Amino acid sequence: MKGSMRLQTEVLIIGGGATGVGIARDLSLRGIPSLLIEREDFLSGASGRNHGLFHSGGRYVVSDPEAARECIAENRILRKIVPHCIEETDGLFVSLPEDSLDFRDRFIQACEEADIPAYLLSRDHVLSLEPELNPDLLSAVNVPDGAIDPFELVLANAKDAENRGAKFLLHSEVTSILVEGDRVKNILAKNTLHGEEYLIEASYLINAAGAWADRLLKLAGLRMAMALSKGSMLITNQRLANRVINRCRPPSDGDIIVPNHTVSILGTTSVRLEDLEHFEVTPQEVSLLIEETSKMLPAIEETRLIRAYAGIRPLFQSEGKGDDRAISRGFVLIDHEKRDGIRNLITITGGKLVTYRLMAEKTSDLLCRKMGTDLPCSTHLKPIPAMDAPSNLKDRLKASGEAEILCDCELVRTDEVEKILKEGGVKDLQDILHRTRLAKGTCQGGFCIYRLLGILNEMGLAEGDSNKILRGFLEERWKGIRPVLWGSSIKEEELIESIYKGIFNL
Amino acid sequence: MATVNSKRMDKKTWPKSNADVCIRCATCMAVCPVSRVTPLFPGPKQAGPGAERFRKSGDSSVDEWIDLCIGCHLCDMACSSGVNISELNLMAKAKYLDEKGRPLRDWFLTHSFLFAGLASFFSAITNFLLKNQAVKWIADSLLRIERRRELPAYQSPTFRQWFRKRPSSPPFEKGGDACLPLGGQGFEPYSKDRKKVAYFYGCYTNTNEVDVGKATVQVLEANGLEVILPPQECCGLPMLGNGNFKGARKMGLKNVPSLLKAVRSGLDILFSSTSCGHMIRHDYSHLLAIPGTEEVAHHLFDLFEFLRNLRERGNLNIHFKELPLKIAYFPPCHLRSLGIGLPALEILRLIPGLEIENIEADCCGMGGTFGFKKEKYEISQEIGKDLKEAIDRLNPEIVLTDCEGCRMQIRHLTGLKVLHPIQILRDALSDTK
Ligand SMILES: Cc1cc2nc3c(=O)[nH]c(=O)nc-3n(C[C@H](O)[C@H](O)[C@H](O)COP(=O)(O)OP(=O)(O)OC[C@H]3O[C@@H](n4cnc5c(N)ncnc54)[C@H](O)[C@@H]3O)c2cc1C
Ligand code: SF4
Ligand code: SF4
């Protein structure tokens, strides 16, 4: 193709979520060169829009013991290789008076069989650990759940992979896949910011596009059966409990509360949908989540919510129909040579954040078999270095006394942001938000984003019109805030709106 | 009588954190005297509702700067969303100091009431020692009490001793209500059935500024009132200000039953120290959950608030003599936080010949025991600078203010004569002095 830039690579990975980035790192450790292409930024898919629960496997242990086993095994490995991404809080499966104690006993039994350390706590003991819990609860089972920071996880993986030779092409969307005979020959892609086109030649193609996996396959004239399910979550202004709080009942809507840095995240729902690009959190979902989660933590009824967001899960109809939650949450690895006779194409999708490493391992193993090598996996042994900004609450609060603060809700320091900007590779506002906790606090960027624009301007990074950047940010922000706008949030919004309208003419 | 000693002081009785209602507007940042003078303190928005999101119950405190909040409440008054900022700070401070341990110095500064009686008795020796450079050196280097601060002198007899020993106040001994003791004429005596009031004088008045207590009694008597002193202890504010909730609560648990008894026998309670008053009216119920406080608070009045009420009913003795003095009045933070306006200023403006101006400055910087601490002295001085400049501009003969901490600080800053407003009011009422 004329005018397009030619790129060559041994392996092309599509998708910059946890799975794709995990594969890039796995391959880099095995010494196999790769290029990863992502149409927006890292974490633009489900990896940046999930619940952040570091599963022990408890959630699936009754319905899908196999998935639960995978979880607990990975749970143990990740504690060792990415301790900086995990808050080892433990989780409670709480039984309320309306919950069956039969289920609880089955749950404990199943945990035992799946090798998930679980022990029963009395009501009084539970309440002394988490005083905000509903005092009517009967008991709770403690399991090794935790909270995982997907941003830190994906970015630290990417950085380590890059140091080991992996390459990344961000803000570039795969637009066609050219198949010739039994092979994918070329891939066409287009930069989504300035329209540049690429022609990529790769010996192997790995489709790690998550919920978009089927769309990608369509470009190659193939299909896979998959359904889409939207899950919505709400963020509270303050952290309400230190542990993960689960409802001890068969998985349902609004039965998990996950702590995350300064906040708690309430979730989730499960709504079938067709459109992958346009979806919002509905008022019904907001009320459902508040109603259900407040049964466990009554304080939620009065607490301030700062944002609502949703992500899309891909689901596969391998077994039973009906309830989406009965469909396996395990991952799918497809060798298209066996399935469709295309020798150099692999699809990996589904799974969980917690199993990202295992998914990368299995994919890379399959690739090695195709390549005729048997280079072993070492991701379960080699720790991933942490990014350098302090990540836990205590350290942040402490460091805040020592430098100028840019985002004062989340205590993000100006020098932290400047460093990221200087490192380059950051193309738009959203990219900065993926790399820091900027704008993730009470004001949701209302007061710090314009300070950030000042810095961008000073550093000569605000290409063209900063009002345009600002408008884009505000539209996204508004989408997240609108569903939870009442009380203090409305007051704050009016103030922020007047700032933007009055000062920036937006 | 309510029994008030069973309730445990634990976190559950602390007020609900309303950090959630903070809208991040930063209005409070404009009024904080501490963050104005030092970059070490991040200011109310950050130290209070902001940091609250970062404090996890299991974590140890890392916010050392929280100890720099002077507790002036100016931020609370500025916040339009009703965030209890200074309370959030105080609770964080308590946690920080509980973990870190309190220096012996803080114990001395907050328990002076324990040895105040002895110190007064031996006041000549004590005062010699307090002024002695060697003692100051010891205080400074061992206890880290700032050497440049004058340590308050002790007086003998104490106010309480004076009150007990003085000859019974003139017209009341025989229960008469012809009450024009200081030569005034023609004003209505305070109503017959309500002619007694109780006085909470506070420890500083008792041992260090006895004349404030005397003046209070004299003015009240000049208004036809009989003054009763209910049994009382230190209000506990110095402890509370140093994050010692337990100690402060102990004092409150001693004071409230006694005050409650006075209230239930039909008395109003007056305080001349706005800090003690703020403590009892606000912190006893809100922060310390001391039972019975609400009832006491309904009958608790600032001295001048009470006098202003008398005046509104036409019952105030306003037979003032002319006092040709140039005076500046400083409203203490705790007075402003009581939300009762500036009653002392209103009453003093009635005195003929008195030229009195309000000092426009935010906080004196003393913060109770804060200004005595070596590591905080500079901050305290820096905050006080504005106040000193404002006073210099007015160039008064005397400065008046209702709080002992402010009086100490203003004396220290300006070298001027600084009194409680009641002392001037007394002078205006007395024929001979
Ligand atoms: C609501 C919800 C809650 C969840 N909660 C949890 C949880 O608590 N714990 C847990 O462990 N897991 C959780 N998960 C699962 C977890 O988020 C996902 O399994 C994981 O993030 C999947 O990562 P991925 O890389 O496979 O997909 P994604 O992160 O979706 O990555 C796919 C990427 O492909 C890119 N892409 C798509 N099309 C193209 C194209 N044409 N060209 C280039 N790039 C393209 C997309 O932009 C996207 O970035 C949750 C998921 C959802 C939806
Ligand atoms: S109480 Fe006073 S010193 Fe403390 S934060 Fe508020 S304004 Fe600042
Ligand atoms: S505490 Fe009150 S004044 Fe301060 S930023 Fe929050 S809402 Fe504004």
Side-chain angles (χ1 to χ4, degrees), chain A residues 2-18:
Chain A
K2 254 195 224 147
S4 57
M5 195 167 146
R6 278 176 171 274
L7 300 170
Q8 252 184 334
T9 174
E10 180 68 10
V11 181
L12 181 71
I13 304 163
I14 305 174

Side-chain angles (χ1 to χ4, degrees), chain B residues 22-28 45 49 79 81 83 85:
Chain B
C22 168
I23 61 166
R24 317 298 294 154
C25 67
T27 309
C28 53
K45 169 181 163 188
C79 175
S81 300
V83 180
I85 315 170

Side-chain angles (χ1 to χ4, degrees), chain A residues 15 17-19 38-39 45-47 50-51 53 174 313 351-354:
Chain A
T19 312
E38 161 58 52
R39 63 173 189 165
S47 300
N50 59 70
H51 205 171
L53 169 57
V174 171
R313 317 174 177 97
K352 283 166 285 287
L353 217 48
V354 184

Side-chain angles (χ1 to χ4, degrees), chain A residues 237 304 394 408-410 492, chain B residues 20 22-23 46 53 60:
Chain A
N237 182 39
R304 172 165 175 194
K394 221 171 110 180
D408 38 35
C409 298
E410 286 295 313
E492 182 158 337
Chain B
D20 258 9
C22 168
I23 61 166
Q46 280 317 95
R53 298 178 64 243
S60 55

Side-chain angles (χ1 to χ4, degrees), chain A residues 237-239 242 262-263 302-304 393-394 397-398 408-411 441-442 447 488 491-492 495, chain B residues 16-17 19-25 45-46 51-54 56-57 59-60 62-63 65 80-81:
Chain A
N237 182 39
Q238 294 192 64
R239 183 168 170 140
N242 278 330
T262 44
V263 303
E302 293 162 29
T303 206
R304 172 165 175 194
L393 298 186
K394 221 171 110 180
L397 187 57
K398 195 168 173 151
D408 38 35
C409 298
E410 286 295 313
L411 299 178
T442 309
F447 296 107
S488 299
K491 257 170 95 177
E492 182 158 337
L495 177 64
Chain B
K16 224 173 139 57
S17 148
D20 258 9
V21 300
C22 168
I23 61 166
R24 317 298 294 154
C25 67
K45 169 181 163 188
Q46 280 317 95
E52 200 57 16
R53 298 178 64 243
F54 287 79
K56 270 197 296 169
S57 51
D59 279 355
S60 55
V62 289
D63 36 2
W65 37 255
S80 60
S81 300

Side-chain angles (χ1 to χ4, degrees), chain A residues 267-289:
Chain A
T268 65
T269 57
S270 183
V271 182
R272 282 291 183 110
L273 88 175
E274 306 295 327
D275 188 345
L276 254 168
E277 312 297 337
H278 305 99
F279 53 89
E280 285 191 34
V281 179
T282 64
Q284 290 83 344
E285 287 177 292
V286 173
S287 346
L288 178 76
L289 286 172

